[in-house]
């Protein structure tokens, strides 16, 4: 399994089958994903190392080790690491289309909108 690099950190696909994909996502200190939503999938996040600041629609909170959160279909969401060490979470995606083409970016500090 290879790591896919992004400006905010990287991820690795651990499992992929029709309707389900599981990723290990690492967000570097100070990194944050784009504010985004999906039309074809929902997600479930579980922190496995560090503390992740998460945004899902109007919710903005910190998730620590073993804490989890559902991201409903169409919800606006983001991951952010405000800590001084790498933060990791497992992302489980559910849906008919699980490709990166289903990312609708709303705001991105790395100029990818």
């Amino acid at each position: 399994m290879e790591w896919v690099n992004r400006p905010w950190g990287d991820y690795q696909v651990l499992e992929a089958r029709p309707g389900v994909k599981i990723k290990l996502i690492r967000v570097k200190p100070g990194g944050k994903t784009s504010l985004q939503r999906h039309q074809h999938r929902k997600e479930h996040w579980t922190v496995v190392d560090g503390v992740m600041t998460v945004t899902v629609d109007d919710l903005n909170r910190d998730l620590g080790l073993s804490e989890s959160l559902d991201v409903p279909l169409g919800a606006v969401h983001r991951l952010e690491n405000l800590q001084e060490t790498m933060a990791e979470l497992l992302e489980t995606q559910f849906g008919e289309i699980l490709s990166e083409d289903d990312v609708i970016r709303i705001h991105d500090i790395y100029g990818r909108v």
Side-chain angles (χ1 to χ4, degrees):
M1 294 179 248
E2 66 182 65
W3 289 96
V4 178
N5 292 311
R6 293 288 185 256
W8 45 262
D10 52 21
Y11 70 86
Q12 184 179 64
V13 176
L14 303 177
E15 176 80 25
R17 62 176 88 165
V20 179
K21 184 185 286 184
I22 301 171
K23 290 181 176 179
L24 176 60
I25 297 176
R26 301 188 303 193
V27 180
K28 63 187 177 184
K32 62 179 166 180
T33 64
S34 57
L35 187 64
Q36 59 187 267
R37 65 183 180 85
H38 307 290
Q39 293 180 327
H40 301 284
R41 72 174 183 244
K42 62 183 179 176
E43 299 173 344
H44 181 80
W45 294 337
T46 303
V47 174
V48 295
D49 193 20
V51 175
M52 199 75 74
T53 301
V54 299
T55 300
V56 178
D57 289 331
D58 294 331
L59 174 73
N60 189 354
R61 65 174 274 218
D62 290 342
L63 291 181
L65 181 64
S66 83
E67 293 185 305
S68 62
L69 183 71
D70 286 318
V71 181
L73 178 70
V76 175
H77 60 280
R78 172 192 323 251
L79 298 171
E80 186 171 6
N81 182 359
L82 301 175
Q83 308 303 307
E84 295 181 10
T85 59
M86 189 75 79
E88 297 182 344
L89 66 72
L90 289 172
E91 175 183 271
T92 306
Q93 303 173 358
F94 301 95
E96 292 184 27
I97 298 174
L98 302 175
S99 69
E100 295 303 307
D101 295 340
D102 188 32
V103 175
I104 300 166
R105 288 189 177 93
I106 297 162
H107 182 265
D108 183 77
I109 64 171
Y110 308 105
R112 299 176 299 161
V113 174

